[in-house]
Amino acid sequence: MAFKYFLEILVLAVCVEFGSSIRCYECNSANNSMCLNPTIYDTETVQKYLRATSCDHSAFLGPNPPAAKQMFCRKIIQTILHKGHDAEVRVTRGCGWVRHHKDCYKADNEDHLETVCQCFTDDCNGAMTLKHSLVITFISLGLILLKYY
């Protein structure tokens, strides 16, 4: 009987992430070319060279992030227009705190074009997302509970 409860606590401890902050990739293609398109790299390389950060500890936010706002992940693609030169594309991934009413939107300024996308799950602004991990966790937990009850 004690083993059953130990197993349930162990499954919960392994599968449930504590805390309320979201984890996002944080990079700028100006100094990390992998930030442009991480989908062309394997998972191990992305994990090694593309920094993921907890949004409550984001370098871009400083020491006191806006606590009243719910943080999210954001990806910004900028096409910088240089007069007389080729356009330059830059990608910035990081944490956001001022939401837009659309998940993705475009901005057109005099010197650059911008596409901004926001998302609300861990590492969603990177190459690969684990959308099904929560479903798999609950199915596994359900199967374990069915076996022991």
Side-chain angles (χ1 to χ4, degrees), residues 27-36 80 88-92:
C27 61
N28 187 322
S29 64
N31 55 25
N32 182 351
S33 61
M34 184 180 282
C35 196
L36 280 171
I80 303 166
E88 179 183 355
V89 175
R90 286 224 178 121
V91 176
T92 305

Side-chain angles (χ1 to χ4, degrees), residues 62-126:
N64 299 313
K69 309 225 182 235
Q70 185 177 358
M71 306 298 282
F72 57 91
C73 298
R74 180 169 44 206
K75 178 175 116 176
I76 302 169
I77 303 170
Q78 290 182 320
T79 303
I80 303 166
L81 308 170
H82 300 287
K83 292 184 190 231
H85 300 303
D86 291 336
E88 179 183 355
V89 175
R90 286 224 178 121
V91 176
T92 305
R93 300 170 196 273
C95 300
W97 58 94
V98 178
R99 287 189 183 190
H100 193 272
H101 64 277
K102 294 181 180 178
D103 285 344
C104 287
Y105 61 94
K106 294 181 185 264
D108 185 357
N109 296 311
E110 186 176 315
D111 60 347
H112 72 278
L113 307 172
E114 187 172 88
T115 301
V116 180
C117 292
Q118 56 195 18
C119 55
F120 307 96
T121 58
D122 284 341
D123 302 330
C124 61
N125 66 338

